[in-house]
């Protein structure tokens, strides 16, 4: 298996795990849909390491939050006088 095939396999697995369509995955990663489809078909990508980092960062899995952590406080909008 060459590098392009490995990248295609990883991209397909990531998209399946996240439940994205090809169009949504491309949008999340900030690349054209046709480019994304080419990557999945094994045509490669000039920056595979950056693509892998982007997929890792764009994962929809929520970050781990300790069970006893207090809930986040809502942001308060400032009025013109408070600014």
């Amino acid at each position: 298996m060459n590098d392009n095939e490995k990248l295609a396999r990883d991209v397909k697995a990531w998209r399946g795990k996240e439940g994205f369509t090809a169009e949504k995955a491309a949008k999340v990663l900030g690349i054209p849909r046709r480019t994304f489809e080419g990557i999945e078909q094994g045509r490669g990508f000039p920056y595979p390491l950056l693509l892998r980092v982007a997929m890792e960062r764009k994962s929809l899995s929520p970050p781990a939050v300790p069970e006893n952590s207090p809930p986040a406080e809502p942001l308060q909008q400032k009025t013109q006088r408070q600014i």
Side-chain angles (χ1 to χ4, degrees):
M1 180 179 295
N2 67 33
D3 290 340
N4 290 346
E5 291 169 338
K6 289 177 188 173
L7 182 62
R9 182 196 63 207
D10 294 345
V11 168
K12 288 176 188 177
W14 172 77
R15 182 164 75 93
K17 182 184 102 183
E18 298 299 330
F20 290 147
T21 63
E23 185 173 348
K24 177 65 177 175
K27 191 174 203 172
V28 165
L29 295 172
I31 60 175
R33 179 184 51 84
R34 299 271 309 197
T35 300
F36 183 83
E37 290 170 348
I39 295 166
E40 279 197 331
Q41 293 169 6
R43 286 187 252 152
F45 189 67
Y47 311 105
L49 181 59
L50 292 176
L51 182 63
R52 290 177 191 282
V53 169
M55 289 188 307
E56 185 178 312
R57 299 289 298 156
K58 300 295 182 173
S59 179
L60 294 182
S61 303
V65 178
E67 288 183 28
N68 298 331
S69 64
E73 294 186 27
L75 295 175
Q76 296 178 353
Q77 291 186 353
K78 295 183 178 184
T79 64
Q80 191 64 18
R81 290 183 190 172
Q82 291 174 319
I83 297 178

